[in-house]
Amino acid sequence: EKYLGENRNFLGKKWEETNAPGDEKVKLIKAEIVSETGAPVSYISTSTPFKIKLEFHNYVPSLLLSFHIRLFTEDNVVAFNSVSPQRKYQSGKISAICEIPAELLNTKKYQVAVAARADYAPLYQIPEVLVFDVAEGETGNMALKFPGAVRPKLNWELQSV
């Protein structure tokens, strides 16, 4: 586990298969936040795109699986939920990577919960797999605070009429 200061950020975790979270079908063996190039990160800002990289071990051949991430704010409000495409996997390790674009998250602390589903049925949800802070980006206004769990940069069309 990686900690940043006293804020208890978890930017990466790895488990031995014997004590990994999950069940007899699928276990989560690694979770980490990485840069666009796959390098470990130590800092995330509102202008930083990053990836949530998960590694599972599947013990059941031809199992129909999907993986979920759910981001919660420090107030336990769901910021968003994302679900991978569902597909069949053979036994062995599975890598699942979810891209988080720049200018989506607000300046807050977030927790990532991870879930797995097999054959359309929930297997489990693991809370607080990753915990991280998002700081103001270099293009942002440090004095201006925005409400809400997310603050996506949306396209606006402006003109005098």
Side-chain angles (χ1 to χ4, degrees):
E1 297 179 358
K2 298 175 186 175
Y3 299 87
L4 285 185
E6 297 295 316
N7 293 333
R8 290 184 45 117
N9 286 343
F10 304 112
L11 298 176
K13 290 184 181 180
K14 187 175 182 177
W15 297 268
E16 295 296 325
E17 283 188 43
T18 54
N19 66 350
D23 65 10
E24 68 282 350
K25 294 179 181 177
V26 180
K27 289 189 175 189
L28 175 64
I29 54 177
K30 188 175 182 182
E32 63 183 331
I33 296 176
V34 297
S35 69
E36 286 183 298
T37 62
V41 299
S42 60
Y43 176 81
I44 299 170
S45 77
T46 55
S47 57
T48 307
F50 63 93
K51 297 177 181 183
I52 297 175
K53 185 177 177 183
L54 306 170
E55 192 172 302
F56 297 88
H57 195 285
N58 175 30
Y59 298 97
V60 181
S62 298
L63 191 60
L64 185 63
L65 291 169
S66 66
F67 304 103
H68 305 235
I69 60 165
R70 186 170 290 152
L71 261 69
F72 292 89
T73 66
E74 57 200 336
D75 304 322
N76 214 27
V77 173
V78 176
F80 67 84
N81 186 64
S82 184
V83 181
S84 74
Q86 188 168 251
R87 60 175 273 216
K88 286 190 178 191
Y89 292 91
Q90 294 308 312
S91 297
K93 291 186 179 174
I94 300 167
S95 174
I97 300 171
C98 180
E99 297 181 16
I100 309 297
E103 310 296 341
L104 173 65
L105 299 179
N106 208 345
T107 53
K108 292 190 174 298
K109 180 180 283 289
Y110 293 89
Q111 305 170 24
V112 179
V114 175
R117 293 177 71 89
D119 297 321
Y120 304 102
L123 294 177
Y124 53 78
Q125 178 171 303
I126 306 162
E128 293 186 38
V129 171
L130 300 166
V131 179
F132 61 94
D133 286 300
V134 175
E136 186 60 59
E138 56 270 358
T139 59
N141 182 341
M142 300 289 266
L144 187 60
K145 294 291 184 194
F146 294 95
V150 294
R151 63 175 220 207
K153 185 175 183 180
L154 304 175
N155 292 327
W156 284 67
E157 188 176 312
L158 302 172
Q159 57 185 316
S160 296
V161 290

